[in-house]
Amino acid sequence: MKKYLLLLFLLVTINSAFASTGYYMEFSDSYTPELLQQKFNTSWQGYAPQIESYENNIVYFQSEQDLIRALINPAYTATNLYVDNVQVFSNNKRLDYAIYRVSGSTIRVNKVLDYNYTSYAPCNGYIMGDAEGESFVDCGAYVKLDGTTVYGTSAGRVYGIKRVMFGDSGNLQLNLISDCGYTAYANTWIVAFGNVQIPEAQKLKAPLPKGQLTIYLEDDECSCTLNGETTTINNNTKITLPVGTYHINFSKVNYWDEERDITILEDESMTLHIDLFPRSSMFKIQQLDTISTYQNNEFITHVSITPVKETTSVRLEFPTADITSVSKNNEIIELNSDEVYDLGTIGTQGITLTIKAPAGSLTGAKSFSMRIVGMDYSAQTYIATKLIDYNVQELPVLVEIPTLSSGTNTFKVTERTGEAQRISLLIQDNTGKSIYSRDYDLGSYQTYTFSTDLEVKDYTLTVASNNYNAKYPLNIKNSVELATNIFEVSKGGTIDIPITVKNPYLTTKYYTVKVIGASPNCLTNDTELSYSIAPQESKTLKGKAILLDNLEFDSYTAIVKVYEGNEEISSDTITLNIKSSTIPFFDDEDGISTTTIIIIAIVLVVVGGGVAYLRSRKKGKSKKILGNNKVIK
């Protein structure tokens, strides 16, 4: 019987509405949607790839199977590729693939064709093609992979396409059956998603050229996800990859993932150093310089802050230090009302901060803590801390500051290294006004003494030379001391509140003590007493609190304020505990309550009246006895 070659011609199906999928081919820029549509709008043998849409130089397919079918020639009997020099993506990941073709035929004898393969690692792929014989006799073909039939028929013709798995090594087999005078044959195409070698097959596309990636880990091991596959890697892991761009994810339990985008070049090696951070820390904080400074100087250090993923609402705090300034890109970041620095959003590229801080007066190795608080886009809050280290050396001069007071103050500066140096001395008030300024050549171990008049105010003394700039705060304040802030008093009672005030000025000053009720108020009214204090003298002043008779609670608060002229110089809160005595004669602070006075008055009236009554009765009785007596001679 004459053999007829039966071809099934199908037209490719195209979705008219544009839509992108994860399965696509990307052609060179010279292709347009019109040219691509002309190319794929042809007759396909066995199975026509379903195209979702065209966009510029990209063709989107409905499935991975459609994508792979489009790589193969529309006619399985052809011996050449239909598309070449194209990038292929499955699930939005670029595929590295090899394409092979095998074929065979037989007549009047059964034949088995074996094609052994090897693979650097197990991988997926597709096998597709045709198998044909005559339909009315035992004449056909089977395609098998590692002993399992992929597709085939014992008689007639079939077309097949199936996703398969290639192991480390195995066998592809064409099993051709013909015990008659008719020909059995098979045309088989193999697409392997990996470096599969089939030496006896026709190689139509080799895997992409390779490069090597070496990964160094700070930890013993971690998980690495590459091309959708996750494996465990160790330090100094080497991976051979096709040239191209990759996104790699490194992960470990209780650690933050780290993601890297890399580009592999042909026959070249690249290295990654991976240091995973614990989940307890969103940020990597690194001090970029080593600091050595002098006592009472300000120093500058640079700190990099790099989050493992973009972080928002980032705040910087210094729990243990008073920082002079923080800047980013030479712009000062102001301290907000919550005593934190707002850093905003920080991307994975990180930022570098310039921090200026006072060294303090103590020498040796020192550190202060900085804390970063931020959120990711799921509103999860993360906190990281870092100790900023610095070393403080002894200042080359000894600065002696007296007990400060209003008036003349004398300072001493002594050279203590044995080397002469020129020093600059400056005292400024809190407005920046210069109060004292002098440059002086200080000899070896020499002491320089200077005096200046200071008022009640804040000042800064600066002692500077070529390699140091030491600052000393000078604070001269009014001295106000409240002996105690807890008092016991009866309802309706009066209490005196002793306050010691020192006048630091060289002239007499006038002070006012005000006692003000708080809420709930326990006082009959606010009180105000005025005093004068001689220059440089101390005096105990008294504030007065007069309580209401009817009080509901057993404890109240009041506010005691001291004014020098019209300027408030002190404010304290006192506690007034109400005594619960049933007969409140005297309170503990030498005060006598109104109730006590009334009770005493009543008692005096009653007692006085009783005494007068008794005396009057006694006198009347005496007269009666005398009247009844007789004289006996």
Side-chain angles (χ1 to χ4, degrees), residues 529-541:
L529 298 175
S530 297
Y531 303 87
S532 64
I533 303 178
Q536 306 287 312
E537 294 293 329
S538 295
K539 179 184 287 187
T540 299
L541 314 182

Side-chain angles (χ1 to χ4, degrees), residues 95-116:
L95 286 177
D96 177 31
Y97 60 95
I99 298 179
Y100 295 91
R101 183 184 183 276
V102 296
S103 63
S105 63
T106 187
I107 186 171
R108 294 189 178 91
V109 63
N110 294 336
K111 183 187 293 186
V112 176
L113 302 177
D114 288 305
Y115 300 91
N116 294 324

Side-chain angles (χ1 to χ4, degrees), residues 49 67 85 100 133 157 172 191-192 253 290 342 361-362 385 392 409 415 418 441 448 463 476 490 505 561 613 623 631:
L67 171 70
N85 297 321
Y100 295 91
R157 165 179 282 187
L172 175 69
V191 179
V253 176
T290 301
D342 291 319
S361 60
L362 301 178
T385 59
V392 181
N409 293 267
E415 202 288 317
D441 290 319
Y448 175 71
V463 182
I476 303 176
S490 300
Y505 296 96
K561 294 180 178 288
Y613 173 75
K623 291 181 178 180
V631 179

Side-chain angles (χ1 to χ4, degrees), residues 292-367:
S292 182
T293 186
Y294 287 106
Q295 292 171 292
N296 295 97
N297 272 240
E298 290 181 333
F299 65 90
I300 293 176
T301 186
H302 300 87
V303 177
S304 67
I305 303 171
T306 307
V308 296
K309 57 183 176 180
E310 187 168 270
T311 312
T312 64
S313 303
V314 181
R315 296 173 294 154
L316 169 63
E317 304 172 7
F318 296 94
T320 62
D322 292 325
I323 300 302
T324 304
S325 67
V326 175
S327 60
K328 179 178 69 173
N329 298 330
N330 296 320
E331 293 185 5
I332 296 294
I333 303 173
E334 298 295 340
L335 191 66
N336 68 19
S337 58
D338 295 326
E339 300 296 314
V340 299
Y341 297 90
D342 291 319
L343 303 182
T345 298
I346 303 179
T348 55
Q349 75 277 8
I351 62 171
T352 298
L353 298 179
T354 300
I355 300 173
K356 181 184 288 188
S361 60
L362 301 178
T363 60
K366 305 295 176 186
S367 65

Side-chain angles (χ1 to χ4, degrees), residues 315-542:
R315 296 173 294 154
L316 169 63
E317 304 172 7
F318 296 94
T320 62
D322 292 325
I323 300 302
T324 304
S325 67
V326 175
S327 60
K328 179 178 69 173
N329 298 330
N330 296 320
E331 293 185 5
I332 296 294
I333 303 173
E334 298 295 340
L335 191 66
N336 68 19
S337 58
D338 295 326
E339 300 296 314
V340 299
Y341 297 90
D342 291 319
L343 303 182
T345 298
I346 303 179
T348 55
Q349 75 277 8
I351 62 171
T352 298
L353 298 179
T354 300
I355 300 173
K356 181 184 288 188
S361 60
L362 301 178
T363 60
K366 305 295 176 186
S367 65
F368 62 83
S369 175
M370 62 179 289
R371 179 167 58 203
I372 298 293
V373 181
M375 294 190 300
D376 61 18
Y377 286 106
S378 66
Q380 176 68 44
T381 300
Y382 301 93
I383 301 175
T385 59
K386 170 72 175 177
L387 286 178
I388 303 302
D389 300 316
Y390 58 100
N391 186 67
V392 181
Q393 302 179 50
E394 187 177 69
L395 196 66
V397 294
L398 173 65
V399 179
E400 297 179 73
I401 298 176
T403 300
L404 298 170
S405 63
S406 177
T408 302
N409 293 267
T410 300
F411 302 84
K412 293 182 180 181
V413 180
T414 302
E415 202 288 317
R416 56 183 174 187
T417 66
E419 298 181 2
Q421 52 189 294
R422 185 173 182 80
I423 61 173
S424 296
L425 303 171
L426 174 66
I427 296 179
Q428 294 174 295
D429 66 14
N430 52 11
T431 67
K433 179 182 177 182
S434 176
I435 306 302
Y436 177 89
S437 179
R438 173 76 187 273
D439 291 337
Y440 186 79
D441 290 319
L442 193 62
S444 175
Y445 301 113
Q446 180 185 359
T447 297
Y448 175 71
T449 302
F450 66 98
S451 300
T452 187
D453 290 336
L454 301 175
E455 299 179 351
V456 176
K457 195 180 291 186
D458 292 337
Y459 301 88
T460 300
L461 166 64
T462 301
V463 182
S465 189
N466 290 333
N467 56 349
Y468 59 84
N469 191 56
K471 294 181 181 294
Y472 300 84
L474 309 177
N475 306 114
I476 303 176
K477 298 181 178 180
N478 288 289
S479 176
V480 178
E481 183 178 356
L482 188 66
T484 180
N485 59 357
I486 300 177
F487 300 87
E488 289 192 4
V489 62
S490 300
K491 297 178 182 179
T494 300
I495 193 80
D496 287 335
I497 303 163
I499 305 169
T500 301
V501 179
K502 180 180 180 180
N503 175 13
Y505 296 96
L506 301 178
T507 59
T508 298
K509 293 294 181 180
Y510 299 90
Y511 297 87
T512 301
V513 180
K514 294 183 180 181
V515 180
I516 304 169
S519 179
N521 187 22
C522 66
L523 305 181
T524 59
N525 58 278
D526 297 342
T527 61
E528 184 176 312
L529 298 175
S530 297
Y531 303 87
S532 64
I533 303 178
Q536 306 287 312
E537 294 293 329
S538 295
K539 179 184 287 187
T540 299
L541 314 182
K542 288 187 178 182

